[in-house]
Amino acid sequence: ILNVEQSPQSLHVQEGDSTNFTCSFPSSNFYALHWYRWETAKSPEALFVMTLNGDEKKKGRISATLNTKEGYSYLYIKGSQPEDSATYLCALFLPGGSNYKLTFGKGTLLTVNP
Amino acid sequence: KAGVTQTPRYLIKTRGQQVTLSCSPISGHRSVSWYQQTPGQGLQFLFEYFSETQRNKGNFPGRFSGRQFSNSRSEMNVSTLELGDSALYLCASSLLRGRGDTQYFGPGTRLTVL
């Protein structure tokens, strides 16, 4: 069974704070990692797809890094805003054929207080 | 470009009944995946269809089935509903099946089994 672990489970920060959370996965079993943001009552929204060790991706105030050798990815949010409140999911992508699928972690619930 | 659509958005059924959920992918996308989310669980992979063929199946009983049509629209069917089938069912589409292909999610169908 492939385990994708996310920590912390939930996080409360004040508006303006910067924050980060972690996604851990078996380092021997890497093909690609996806990050999603899921706001309440909306569809999960793709943030990043990361495929190479050392990848760094950025979208506005959100960025992510990837270390496939040690099996983790960090998601950073700079200067959190109330609209950043959402569940952040990471998912490990397994390659094609019968294994094509995303295996998701349980997510980190971020609440940004104004 | 229109996003992934799912119908219906909400459904209430009783135990023993069957249900069919529909997913229309983004135009041009050929892969459709289905996921189940229940409280306390992450998104669990159900199955994936590509070019009208089921390419991968998750660890769910045979009561869960699906199909994909020539226009890439997909349906999933759950027969003999059980209380534990109450969940949010999400579908996601992607252009192809490559590791860098982003999966785009629909808003989900909330199924309640009484």
Side-chain angles (χ1 to χ4, degrees):
Chain A
I1 296 177
L2 181 64
N3 280 327
V4 179
E5 304 287 341
Q6 290 190 249
S7 63
Q9 205 169 27
S10 65
L11 196 54
H12 289 252
V13 302
Q14 290 299 123
E15 183 175 355
D17 287 350
S18 293
T19 186
N20 66 85
F21 18 95
T22 306
C23 174
S24 303
F25 51 87
S27 59
S28 61
N29 210 355
F30 181 81
Y31 205 67
L33 189 92
H34 293 228
W35 279 101
Y36 287 86
R37 173 171 59 199
W38 195 359
E39 295 178 66
T40 304
K42 293 187 177 180
S43 309
E45 172 198 356
L47 288 173
F48 306 114
V49 178
M50 309 183 80
T51 57
L52 297 174
N53 185 41
D55 252 356
E56 290 188 29
K57 299 273 177 102
K58 189 173 179 184
K59 186 176 183 179
R61 293 178 293 99
I62 304 177
S63 60
T65 61
L66 176 67
N67 184 324
T68 60
K69 294 187 189 313
E70 295 184 31
Y72 65 83
S73 176
Y74 292 143
L75 190 81
Y76 301 91
I77 302 179
K78 185 177 176 183
S80 302
Q81 300 296 310
E83 57 264 31
D84 296 328
S85 297
T87 297
Y88 290 82
L89 296 169
C90 72
L92 198 64
F93 172 75
L94 293 177
S98 63
N99 279 327
Y100 179 92
K101 65 178 180 179
L102 288 175
T103 298
F104 282 86
K106 293 189 178 179
T108 293
L109 175 60
L110 174 66
T111 304
V112 182
N113 300 310
Chain B
K1 200 181 228 186
V4 178
T5 58
Q6 291 187 247
T7 56
R9 293 293 309 279
Y10 302 92
L11 206 47
I12 299 176
K13 292 285 188 179
T14 55
R15 277 180 299 175
Q17 286 187 309
Q18 76 161 17
V19 68
T20 298
L21 312 182
S22 180
C23 172
S24 292
I26 291 172
S27 177
H29 284 196
R30 295 171 62 192
S31 172
V32 174
S33 298
W34 288 88
Y35 297 87
Q36 180 200 64
Q37 193 200 32
T38 50
Q41 296 295 316
L43 288 168
Q44 302 290 314
F45 173 79
L46 280 156
F47 27 63
E48 184 240 348
Y49 286 87
F50 184 82
S51 294
E52 300 177 64
T53 303
Q54 185 182 93
R55 301 301 179 106
N56 191 12
K57 191 176 195 305
N59 196 22
F60 280 81
R63 299 184 297 106
F64 291 81
S65 63
R67 58 179 176 168
Q68 188 181 33
F69 302 95
S70 58
N71 61 359
S72 293
R73 190 177 71 84
S74 177
E75 289 181 346
M76 69 164 271
N77 184 277
V78 189
S79 61
T80 321
L81 284 165
E82 299 177 1
L83 295 179
D85 297 333
S86 294
L88 179 68
Y89 291 89
L90 289 164
C91 79
S93 75
S94 63
L95 188 62
L96 296 170
R97 305 179 82 230
R99 65 173 179 165
D101 282 315
T102 299
Q103 290 196 13
Y104 295 88
F105 282 83
T109 295
R110 172 76 60 186
L111 172 65
T112 302
V113 182
L114 302 175

